Amino acid sequence: MKIILNYLKDLYSGPVQAVMVFSFTLVAALTIGIGNWAITNTITSYLAEAMDERIEQDFLTAELFYQFRLEDIARTANQLALSNTVINSFAEAGGGDSLAIRDIENKIETALRGCRLKGNRVAVVLDDQGNLIAGVLRSTDLQLALLQAGRSWSGFTVFNDVMHTGTLISSTEVIPKEILVEASLADQARIELLETPKSAPAPFDPREGSAGLGMVGAAPIQEDGRTIGVVVIFHLFNNDFTLVDAIKDSAKIDTATIFFGDLRVSTNVMTEQGERAVGTRVSQDVNEVVLHNGLEYVGTAFVVNEYYITRYEPLLDHQDQTVGILYVGSRQKVFLDFLSTVRRRTSFVAAITILMTFLLATPISRKITRPLQELRTLSQISQQVAEGNLEARAPGCGGGAVGLLADSFNDMLDRLQETQKQLVESEKLASLGQLAAGVAHELNNPLATVLLFAEVLLKENEFDDRGQTDLKTIVRETKRCKTIVASLLDFARQHRVDASEINLDHLIKRVIDLEKNHHRYDRVEIETNLDPHLPHIQADEAQIQAVISNLMTNAADSMPEGGKLILRTRRSMNDQIIFEVEDEGEGITPENQVKLFTPFFTTKQPGKGVGLGLSIVYGIIKMHRGQISVQSKFGEGTTFTIQLPVRQPETDPRSNQDEDLNGDATLIG
């Protein structure tokens, strides 16, 4: 210990040096500590906002997937209900004609085989009493099985409401146990309720565990203006994970879950044993907000056995009753571990920086205070001279102002010694007085020199400023590092339609004038066939302009060698506006047509697009209560057809029927 104390005493040989070292270190510690606190809090706040935005985008993507699947089921049901085969064979099949029944079953099988969406699916044709005329079950492994004809499905609420209203129903519905038995899905639907921490004391719906939740599309079969039967298609969520896994894999979402009431029936949330958490229930906090109050829940929630950053929204049936929940979320532990790593690393950097400041301040302070030590030595020599020791000399101090001062002081002493010898040899008092006057004059000059060089030393002492500059450099560079982590987040709204009266033909011409200046149209011939009597429509001009521009861009990109791009408008028989964009490009393969409006799906080369253009177009047309379809033959070209209402309806319609677009078109909307 004594050796260490002696070493420190020698290292910090003066109080000024010790004060300077610890002052530098204290300033560095305070500055870096405050900077570290500010940086950490800024990063934490930024990451929290980024995580919230990511969850919101994840949910919008999940909701889009969900609506796409639901609309596919409704579209298939409507196509079967409008099928000539079903309508023409309906009466004979209802009377038990086996050939007619087989014709309907073949039509259903064809429709189910043509569906590229995975998962179980049940399609049945019911008469006006709810009796099964024909039905087919497609299992998760894509195997088809016929359902027994003649069994009653009248207990299905959707059937009764379609018969009563004569309109298409597309919604999320509770599927009763009796219907699941008839559809051979009772075993799949059965789920054991598991003990779940923080769940409500009792299930939200007493049918949980035995009944099922599914997407349902039900369309009326009509003849001569009256409803003679119903086509019902549904996809059962219980123990079917195709939708939640598709959401997770395609959109890179952490976890997704579908609840029947407060029961997890389809999920990729895992238990501690590494199994899907089917049978567990949502926490009571979420239960109260989402199921009982019908509101969305956004924030941290306890999921199965740990906390997640989540978003829950209620699933409503066709009667606007809450029957379940759609959920997406990310593990909070991953977020907290990342923040902990950030804090540890910034604290480590701060500690290393403070230590380096302390180590660097020691030699710098020694260099700064060395002239003070030399001045103190010079002061001690002056005291000896004052006591009469003219043999004393200042030690060599090297260069610098203090070195020059010491040399001047030694020269003064040398001359003083010579003068003293002259005084001893002089015998005259007058000479002694004259010599005394000369000595006083000689002492005055070096003392003035001492004062001058001391003031110069104090005025030119810039070591503190340089130390501060170093510290400011450190702070500046640290701030520059903070600016680089905030550009890696960040997949989904929704915008409102700001409707106004617009002339679609004029808008198309204006977009053409803007677009044709781009190089992509250098080899493209743009042709228009616009209806001059087209009425004004109620629409958001900016959004419709984005639709036209996006479709023209895609068409031009599909014709790298050039070709003709045709834009048409006309008015349909059902008082809607038809807008078509036709190109002579590469066309779209049948397998890609069904994925055309899927977010992030693109056939363009990497770096040429992210697959969001047509998804945005789809969303805009849907917000305008319109429809969009595509007809394409690979290698021959593509035609996009958009239907828009002249007037925006005041309420959301349950379904829009397209009476003008038939044939092989892929209909979206």
Side-chain angles (χ1 to χ4, degrees):
M1 179 62 69
K2 186 176 181 180
I3 296 175
I4 296 175
L5 291 176
N6 290 334
Y7 174 75
L8 292 176
K9 184 178 180 181
D10 180 65
L11 188 63
Y12 304 106
S13 55
V16 175
Q17 182 187 1
V19 170
M20 290 183 66
V21 170
F22 288 103
S23 296
F24 286 164
T25 305
L26 179 61
V27 170
L30 289 175
T31 305
I32 295 171
I34 294 173
N36 181 60
W37 175 83
I39 290 171
T40 302
N41 280 273
T42 301
I43 293 175
T44 301
S45 176
Y46 172 78
L47 291 177
E49 292 177 2
M51 182 61 70
D52 290 342
E53 291 178 2
R54 177 193 168 186
I55 290 297
E56 182 178 358
Q57 292 299 320
D58 287 351
F59 189 85
L60 292 176
T61 303
E63 194 173 42
L64 187 61
F65 267 85
Y66 193 94
Q67 290 300 323
F68 182 76
R69 294 292 180 95
L70 184 59
E71 289 171 5
D72 177 70
I73 289 176
R75 183 174 62 252
T76 305
N78 195 46
Q79 289 173 346
L80 286 174
L82 297 176
S83 169
N84 291 330
T85 300
V86 174
I87 295 174
N88 295 336
S89 302
F90 188 84
E92 290 80 359
D97 189 316
S98 60
L99 292 178
I101 293 174
R102 189 55 194 157
D103 286 342
I104 296 178
E105 289 174 343
N106 288 337
K107 187 65 178 178
I108 295 174
E109 290 177 359
T110 300
L112 293 183
R113 284 195 182 99
C115 176
R116 298 184 181 275
L117 303 178
K118 296 181 180 179
N120 69 79
R121 192 164 291 193
V122 174
V124 296
V125 176
L126 308 176
D127 64 16
D128 58 357
Q129 300 301 315
N131 297 316
L132 180 68
I133 293 178
V136 177
L137 163 65
R138 189 190 76 171
S139 59
T140 304
D141 58 4
L142 304 182
Q143 298 297 316
L144 300 178
L146 301 179
L147 301 182
Q148 184 176 356
R151 306 301 290 267
S152 175
W153 285 53
S154 59
F156 207 170
T157 306
V158 173
F159 161 77
N160 297 314
D161 288 348
V162 173
M163 285 298 302
H164 178 70
T165 62
T167 58
L168 173 71
I169 288 180
S170 171
S171 61
T172 305
E173 300 289 337
V174 175
I175 304 174
K177 180 180 178 181
E178 297 77 13
I179 300 301
L180 295 172
V181 171
E182 298 297 335
S184 302
L185 290 174
D187 290 339
Q188 178 180 325
R190 190 176 299 110
I191 295 176
E192 180 183 356
L193 275 66
L194 303 178
E195 279 293 327
T196 308
K198 301 190 178 183
S199 62
F204 174 77
D205 191 319
R207 297 171 292 179
E208 294 177 15
S210 58
L213 187 74
M215 293 178 173
V216 178
I221 303 173
Q222 296 183 334
E223 187 177 43
D224 297 331
R226 63 186 184 87
T227 302
I228 60 174
V230 178
V231 173
V232 178
I233 300 179
F234 68 81
H235 166 76
L236 178 65
F237 289 127
N238 295 36
N239 288 308
D240 186 301
F241 313 111
T242 53
L243 179 58
V244 293
D245 286 349
I247 292 173
K248 177 180 179 180
D249 297 338
S250 299
K252 307 303 180 185
I253 293 174
D254 244 5
T255 56
T257 298
I258 296 173
F259 292 84
F260 169 25
D262 63 350
L263 178 68
R264 288 181 178 85
V265 296
S266 180
T267 183
N268 40 46
V269 174
M270 296 297 179
T271 63
E272 293 179 346
Q273 292 74 33
E275 300 176 349
R276 294 182 187 264
V278 173
T280 58
R281 296 164 54 219
V282 77
S283 66
Q284 187 168 4
D285 293 340
V286 178
N287 186 318
E288 290 291 332
V289 174
V290 181
L291 294 175
H292 288 87
N293 298 330
L295 304 174
E296 67 177 26
Y297 182 99
V298 180
T300 302
F302 190 82
V303 179
V304 182
N305 52 23
E306 62 177 305
Y307 282 94
Y308 280 67
I309 302 171
T310 64
R311 185 182 180 108
Y312 298 79
E313 285 198 7
L315 295 174
L316 307 179
D317 63 12
H318 71 286
Q319 297 175 339
D320 291 332
Q321 299 297 315
T322 301
V323 295
I325 304 173
L326 177 62
Y327 149 93
V328 297
S330 295
R331 294 177 62 201
Q332 188 186 47
K333 184 177 183 300
V334 176
F335 177 68
L336 294 179
D337 287 347
F338 180 74
L339 288 182
S340 178
T341 300
V342 170
R343 292 192 181 100
R344 285 199 306 272
R345 291 184 178 180
T346 54
S347 298
F348 176 76
V349 171
I352 291 297
T353 304
I354 294 172
L355 178 61
M356 291 298 297
T357 301
F358 178 81
L359 296 177
L360 291 174
T362 298
I364 292 174
S365 64
R366 285 177 65 89
K367 188 173 182 61
I368 293 174
T369 58
R370 181 182 299 167
L372 299 179
Q373 297 293 335
E374 295 171 349
L375 285 175
R376 184 161 49 247
T377 301
L378 190 58
S379 175
Q380 293 172 353
I381 297 300
S382 299
Q383 184 65 30
Q384 294 179 18
V385 172
E387 293 174 356
N389 183 11
L390 298 181
E391 299 293 332
R393 294 293 183 270
C397 299
V402 176
L404 294 175
L405 181 62
D407 292 341
S408 178
F409 185 76
N410 288 337
D411 290 342
M412 178 195 70
L413 290 179
D414 290 340
R415 289 196 296 270
L416 185 59
Q417 270 190 315
E418 293 177 1
T419 303
Q420 187 182 37
K421 290 178 181 179
Q422 293 176 4
L423 285 174
V424 172
E425 294 176 355
S426 178
E427 297 178 355
K428 297 180 179 179
L429 293 176
S431 298
L432 181 61
Q434 189 177 15
L435 179 62
V439 170
H441 177 72
E442 293 293 332
L443 284 176
N444 186 53
N445 289 334
L447 288 177
T449 303
V450 170
L451 178 60
L452 174 62
F453 281 100
E455 290 178 349
V456 170
L457 180 64
L458 290 175
K459 290 180 181 179
E460 293 183 355
N461 183 3
E462 297 181 355
F463 291 98
D464 286 343
D465 293 338
R466 200 166 75 192
Q468 289 297 320
T469 300
D470 291 341
L471 292 178
K472 290 178 181 178
T473 301
I474 294 172
V475 173
R476 184 174 67 251
E477 290 301 310
T478 304
K479 291 182 178 179
R480 187 172 69 88
C481 292
K482 184 265 297 181
T483 305
I484 293 175
V485 168
S487 301
L488 267 135
L489 146 243
D490 229 205
F491 277 146
R493 304 170 171 110
Q494 303 224 0
H495 299 284
R496 296 187 341 180
V497 175
D498 186 9
S500 62
E501 296 283 341
I502 68 170
N503 187 316
L504 184 58
D505 287 352
H506 290 175
L507 181 59
I508 292 172
K509 293 176 181 177
R510 189 162 68 247
V511 174
I512 292 174
D513 289 339
L514 292 173
E515 289 289 327
K516 67 183 181 181
N517 295 319
H518 295 291
H519 291 301
R520 65 169 62 93
Y521 298 97
D522 289 347
R523 305 178 67 179
V524 175
E525 178 185 350
I526 302 177
E527 180 179 312
T528 59
N529 185 4
L530 308 179
D531 184 354
H533 304 293
L534 205 65
H536 289 199
I537 64 173
Q538 287 183 344
D540 189 314
E541 182 172 344
Q543 293 185 6
I544 298 302
Q545 179 174 339
V547 169
I548 300 170
S549 176
N550 198 300
L551 293 179
M552 288 182 63
T553 299
N554 284 350
D557 289 344
S558 70
M559 298 184 290
E561 302 301 324
K564 183 180 293 185
L565 170 59
I566 305 174
L567 293 90
R568 304 187 188 92
T569 59
R570 70 179 189 275
R571 188 168 185 173
S572 68
M573 299 297 294
N574 57 356
D575 198 30
Q576 289 196 338
I577 299 301
I578 306 296
F579 168 49
E580 294 179 338
V581 178
E582 179 182 346
D583 65 65
E584 298 176 346
E586 301 168 347
I588 306 169
T589 61
E591 57 269 20
N592 284 340
Q593 289 187 36
V594 298
K595 299 181 288 184
L596 202 57
F597 296 94
T598 303
F600 307 108
F601 172 78
T602 180
T603 59
K604 296 181 180 181
Q605 295 296 322
K608 299 295 185 180
V610 295
L612 288 175
L614 288 178
S615 298
I616 294 172
V617 169
Y618 167 78
I620 291 174
I621 299 304
K622 286 294 293 180
M623 286 190 292
H624 282 77
R625 306 296 189 265
Q627 296 178 349
I628 180 170
S629 64
V630 58
Q631 289 179 308
S632 181
K633 289 186 178 180
F634 188 66
E636 296 184 11
T638 303
T639 301
F640 282 89
T641 304
I642 294 174
Q643 281 187 275
L644 291 172
V646 176
R647 301 292 175 204
Q648 288 294 316
E650 295 182 358
T651 58
D652 293 340
R654 288 287 181 183
S655 171
N656 290 325
Q657 300 297 328
D658 182 359
E659 299 177 0
D660 294 319
L661 301 178
N662 296 306
D664 297 327
T666 300
L667 182 61
I668 306 295

